[in-house]
Amino acid sequence: MGSYNVNAVVGLQWGDEGKGRVVDYLAKDADIVIRYQGGDNAGHTVINDKGKFGLHIIPSGVFNPETMNIVSAGTAVNFDRMHEELEGIKNASGLVIDNLFIDERAHIIMPYHMALDGAEESKRSDKAKIGTTKRGIGPCYTDKAARIGIRAADILDEETLRARLSAILPKKNRDLEYYGLKTVELEDLMALAAKWRAEFGDKIIDTVPVVRDAVESGKKILLEGQLGIMRDNDWGIYPYTTSSNPTAAGGCNGAGIPPRAITKVVGVAKAYSTSVGGGPYMTELFDETGDKLREIGGEFGVTTGRPRRCGWFDAVAADYACYMNGVTDVALTKLDVLDTFETIKVCVGYMINGEYYTNLPETRLQDVAKPIYEEYEGWMEDTTKCRTWESLPEKAKKYILALEEKMNTHITYISVGPERDQLIVR
Ligand code: GDP
Ligand code: IMO
Ligand code: MG
């Protein structure tokens, strides 16, 4: 058995850290890229020589024709959206993607999942709203856990699919009726599945033999996480979470990789922070500084177009994220967005009910926590043309080194713009 070469790329904050651009960069010499959890709730921006793309369910490694891209067992797949995305890429760039495969075990997002996602969210009070992307992610994973999900393999076998849907639909239709929604017909779903089978049937495979062979022969594998740890269903701000595990451990599970095979975990974090959707977010700024971050950073959702909540870097949460993911290297993104801020703040602790915390507490306490900040002098210089560590302004270096110390890790990549080459490798 050779040495392993499995790299995971994970979000260290609340999502949208820039995972897509990091995967695109690292995929230049990757043999396999695997999306291991989540579905088309993701919005990963990739800007390269082929154009600008907002990817949802398609892995960010598809632009390298030599790379095999897998949507693995841990994901929730909407085939209609996958079709639209492939068409979108073809129309925009002329690229025909034929290096994409789906594991037989992946769960399928059915029309009733999307309907129920919206309906469940609309019943939640303002305070309880998760702000889901309404892509059916939660209801699909709910069915997975309840063992009434439809998997890609079921789509391949008409008889199995008919039997499973026949057993499931009475319950689904009861749920839909409860919310006053239109019920679904077995034959309509069978027809939909036939369409999916015709388009994707030969791309639905058992990925274990090929992934295992790649792992054991030391090929370069990239695991592409969706969202960030703060929305992890176990370790994030539950219940304002997604219904899967964006962590590196979730990558082992979702992609079928033994934990000891992971050689590098690249944690992606913005030089400040953003969050889309509900739940606590302790360093959120409600003033013009927050507006300025949103404006300069272009902080609007790739999937939903919603304005992102913006705030300072939370070093306590980032340190927790590095520990939980076993981060070996951090990619610090969007440093350039801070170029015109005179003062930059970093959260180093929280006051909660009169007590000082230097660790990340559970959701209930995050709700009432007040961040304690350290201040750094802004560099007030353009960093977008910097390509080496040495060329960065001294004050920017000081800020980066401070974050590195607080996260107890190494900041290996620093991005200073969205383009593929706007990256410093340190
Ligand atoms: P992901 O979901 O983690 O892949 O991140 P998103 O694509 O949702 O959000 C990141 C956004 O920041 C995208 O619009 C990227 O093009 C942009 N971006 C990434 N890195 C940088 C950077 O270093 N500087 C600037 N200005 N924009 C960046
Ligand atoms: P990427 O991969 C930012 C948020 C939603 C909501 C919560 C649950 O681009 O970082 P879901 O639809 O998953 O049930 O929603 O998670 N959310 C995201 N926020 N970026 C994403 O993806 C997101 N995917 C889901 O806003 O609060
Ligand atoms: Mg995103």
Side-chain angles (χ1 to χ4, degrees), residues 101-272:
F101 296 87
I102 303 116
D103 191 87
E104 302 176 312
R105 301 162 186 83
H107 276 253
I108 304 308
I109 298 179
M110 302 298 283
Y112 49 79
H113 290 135
M114 285 183 290
L116 290 170
D117 197 359
E120 285 166 5
E121 182 75 350
S122 69
K123 290 273 183 214
R124 293 181 186 116
S125 68
D126 280 353
K127 166 86 179 131
K129 281 207 192 311
I130 299 167
T132 79
T133 57
K134 302 202 171 93
R135 295 289 191 260
I137 305 297
C140 181
Y141 281 108
T142 301
D143 283 2
K144 174 180 177 172
R147 293 155 297 182
I148 55 168
I150 300 294
R151 305 202 300 173
D154 301 330
I155 302 292
L156 296 181
D157 183 52
E158 221 181 314
E159 215 175 301
T160 311
L161 180 67
R162 183 175 292 278
R164 282 191 69 74
L165 279 175
S166 300
I168 296 161
L169 285 191
K171 176 173 162 36
K172 289 295 138 191
N173 280 334
R174 261 199 324 275
D175 293 349
L176 291 165
E177 270 168 9
Y178 169 79
Y179 287 111
L181 295 168
K182 196 168 166 284
T183 55
V184 290
E185 301 288 336
L186 173 65
E187 293 312 323
D188 291 344
L189 296 180
M190 291 301 295
L192 202 53
K195 188 180 84 177
W196 294 337
R197 183 163 56 243
E199 181 169 1
F200 294 105
D202 62 341
K203 299 291 183 185
I204 299 173
I205 61 167
D206 179 2
T207 61
V208 176
V210 50
V211 171
R212 179 173 180 175
D213 178 64
V215 167
E216 291 179 340
S217 59
K219 291 205 171 130
K220 182 169 171 183
I221 299 176
L222 273 183
L223 305 180
E224 176 176 6
Q226 188 253 331
L227 262 174
I229 187 172
M230 296 306 153
R231 301 266 183 205
D232 182 282
N233 213 22
D234 287 298
W235 299 107
I237 50 173
Y238 189 91
Y240 305 96
T241 43
T242 197
S243 303
S244 63
N245 296 105
T247 51
C252 289
N253 209 45
I257 303 276
R260 68 176 182 153
I262 302 243
T263 42
K264 186 165 159 175
V265 179
V266 180
V268 188
K270 282 178 192 170
Y272 50 100

Side-chain angles (χ1 to χ4, degrees), residues 16-21 43-45 47 302 308 333-337 415-418:
D16 305 321
E17 296 90 349
K19 298 173 292 291
R21 68 91 44 95
H44 295 179
T45 314
I47 303 176
V302 179
R308 293 174 179 154
T333 59
K334 305 190 94 161
L335 184 76
D336 55 299
V337 174
S415 77
V416 292

